[in-house]
Amino acid sequence: MGDQIINPSMASSTEENYLKALFNLSNSLGEVNLSELAHGLQVSLPTANSMVKSLQKSGWVNYEKYKPLILTPEGQKEAALIIRKHRLTEMFLVKKMGFGWEEVHEIAEQVEHIHAPKFFQRMDEMLGFPTIDPHGSPIPDNQGRIQEFSYVPLSSCKPGQTVQLTALTNSSTEFLEFLNSRKLALGTQLKVLSREAYDLSLVVSYQNHPQETLSEKVSERLLVRVLD
Amino acid sequence: MGDQIINPSMASSTEENYLKALFNLSNSLGEVNLSELAHGLQVSLPTANSMVKSLQKSGWVNYEKYKPLILTPEGQKEAALIIRKHRLTEMFLVKKMGFGWEEVHEIAEQVEHIHAPKFFQRMDEMLGFPTIDPHGSPIPDNQGRIQEFSYVPLSSCKPGQTVQLTALTNSSTEFLEFLNSRKLALGTQLKVLSREAYDLSLVVSYQNHPQETLSEKVSERLLVRVLD
DNA sequence: CAAATTTGTTAGACCGATCTAACTTATTAC
DNA sequence: GTAATAAGTTAGATCGGTCTAACAAATTTG
Ligand SMILES: [Mn+2]
Ligand SMILES: [Mn+2]
Ligand SMILES: [Mn+2]
Ligand SMILES: [Mn+2]
């Protein structure tokens, strides 16, 4: 009853999730191991194996037995366009619908699979063509091109440095709620006061927080721009 | 990788589309024939038959061999809640995102399957808790209750009557584009000037249109409130 | 009412996405 | 460099959703 037209060359939601996972898990060489993929998607190895073979048939992945997986350029573009929909959605939910940055990932995980170019185009327009999402990740353009930023993890900063929080390497609800509880948001300026040699925790100061200790687990997930 | 949690008692998108179709196709007794269902969903009879058996197992449908299909109260509520999401989405797309009423059905057909109560709750709030969608159909409340209106088809009106267009029985893009071309919108007041006995077409006047002929096919799809 | 037609059912197949069990290849450790 | 371990593959099954072919029941028509 008036459902969407399914183009055979179109990826299913499942395939789209595999492409996204491959994209996000790719190392600097663009390679991913099957077991990382299976782990990332919470499926068994044989499941990932058979899916990868079918993604190869569709031309999204280069697959050779026992070799690491590599997205083809088409696969990369496809993945980037899904990530674009995901991040535009997150931005829309935060900026236009009043959601907190910790609430939007799960919703976007579903909305990203909607096939309606005008819908996302309209979001993009309403948002003024944003280039980053609410967690500081870049939004690919409509050709699937991604602007790369060179941020460094806070964990690599030295005492005395002043930095600005610009992005996160993890956007789980739990982590975001932790940041909320410490009043840490994108844009916050922090000064690194000291590093504890034993557990690599950092003592920082910012705004009304003259002294706050951040574990290594936290500081390695905070990406910053060094200000001086 | 952060995908939605799937509750076993939850209907799949396919099942949701069957429930909606059953709801919309139900006659005054709440009955639907299998062939109507299959036709409405554009699937074969055996496909509809097997799906209906599985909907029965889930407790959404009462099914007996060779008897008409009847949604259970639970099935009705489930269907109404999906229709609620569909219509809220259409309203949101029109009122908050600037889409035309002829563009929104296909998008809503996908968005209705998203499992994110807060998302639709937020739409509802932003829209001020609307009770009708952009095509004049009632939006079920969050308990799945539907407010019934007693509109009559324009085709049943008599020359001399003045009426107001309040809803449509068909919301296909083509029909809505036809209405756009004649500048007919919800709320438009029309006066019935005459009826052609041969083909039952109606001559009406409204706004800057002193004389417009509407075929029976059109006039039976226009629901109106009689003003005098 | 019997024949013709429509409607509904069953059987058996296929495909996508998933699993477990069993096996093979590759990598790591000693 | 072999043995142990990890990673990847194959085989075979299940389940949801779909189909066609063949058949059966119900309804309509003459
Ligand atoms: Mn996200
Ligand atoms: Mn997803
Ligand atoms: Mn609609
Ligand atoms: Mn739908």
Side-chain angles (χ1 to χ4, degrees), chain B residues 154 178 184 190 201-202 204 212-216 218-219 222:
Chain B
L154 178 61
F178 167 82
L184 281 167
L190 305 101
S201 61
L202 285 185
V204 299
E212 195 77 66
T213 301
L214 301 174
S215 71
E216 195 196 11
V218 167
S219 65
L222 300 176

Side-chain angles (χ1 to χ4, degrees), chain A residues 17 20 108-110 112-113, chain B residues 3-4:
Chain A
N17 283 335
K20 249 192 1 162
E109 201 60 46
Q110 299 177 63
E112 70 189 0
H113 302 295
Chain B
D3 238 329
Q4 66 268 31

Side-chain angles (χ1 to χ4, degrees), chain B:
Chain B
M1 218 138 193
D3 238 329
Q4 66 268 31
I5 316 102
I6 316 122
N7 182 326
S9 87
M10 230 162 58
S12 67
S13 294
T14 307
E15 289 176 311
E16 291 187 342
N17 283 335
Y18 276 81
L19 290 174
K20 251 195 354 167
L22 283 164
F23 190 98
N24 287 325
L25 294 169
S26 287
N27 63 19
S28 46
L29 298 163
E31 298 181 336
V32 187
N33 291 331
L34 188 67
S35 38
E36 295 168 55
L37 180 65
H39 178 256
L41 288 165
Q42 308 254 65
V43 297
S44 69
L45 271 168
T47 297
N49 184 255
S50 86
M51 192 67 205
V52 160
K53 286 175 180 174
S54 114
L55 290 172
Q56 183 191 34
K57 278 206 190 111
S58 310
W60 311 119
V61 171
N62 285 325
Y63 165 73
E64 287 180 82
K65 268 194 186 183
Y66 301 107
K67 297 266 175 70
L69 310 167
I70 303 180
L71 281 176
T72 62
E74 298 75 39
Q76 279 174 48
K77 178 170 179 184
E78 195 70 9
L81 291 175
I82 301 155
I83 291 168
R84 171 175 165 81
K85 291 195 281 181
H86 181 105
R87 294 183 179 165
L88 275 177
T89 300
E90 289 187 341
M91 204 63 176
F92 187 86
L93 292 171
V94 168
K95 297 290 186 196
K96 300 294 173 187
M97 295 187 75
F99 284 93
W101 68 345
E102 77 286 359
E103 305 178 282
V104 296
H105 179 78
E106 281 71 25
I107 303 178
E109 201 60 45
Q110 298 177 64
V111 175
E112 70 189 1
H113 302 294
I114 287 177
H115 293 288
K118 278 190 292 189
F119 183 48
F120 296 99
Q121 230 166 269
R122 198 67 198 97
M123 280 189 193
D124 200 18
E125 284 166 26
M126 289 175 72
L127 290 166
F129 311 100
T131 57
I132 57 159
D133 82 4
H135 313 113
S137 302
I139 298 176
D141 70 19
N142 56 22
Q143 301 307 305
R145 288 176 298 233
I146 298 193
Q147 185 184 358
E148 286 301 337
F149 296 100
S150 50
Y151 300 143
V152 299
L154 178 61
S155 56
S156 74
C157 294
K158 289 170 191 23
Q161 284 190 311
T162 300
V163 302
Q164 183 172 36
L165 184 55
T166 47
L168 311 172
T169 58
N170 175 291
S171 313
S172 67
T173 304
E174 305 77 51
F175 183 49
L176 295 169
E177 283 175 345
F178 167 82
L179 298 181
N180 284 347
S181 74
R182 303 301 155 100
K183 293 278 177 295
L184 281 167
L186 293 193
T188 302
Q189 289 195 16
L190 305 101
K191 178 151 195 185
V192 182
L193 301 180
S194 66
R195 165 182 280 116
E196 175 57 59
Y198 176 63
D199 65 356
L200 302 180
S201 61
L202 285 185
V203 182
V204 299
S205 72
Y206 57 95
Q207 292 169 349
N208 303 333
H209 299 245
Q211 192 166 325
E212 195 77 66
T213 301
L214 301 174
S215 71
E216 195 196 11
K217 181 153 187 186
V218 167
S219 65
E220 70 189 9
R221 284 166 167 65
L222 300 176
L223 296 180
V224 300
R225 196 159 54 87
V226 178
L227 296 181
D228 64 8

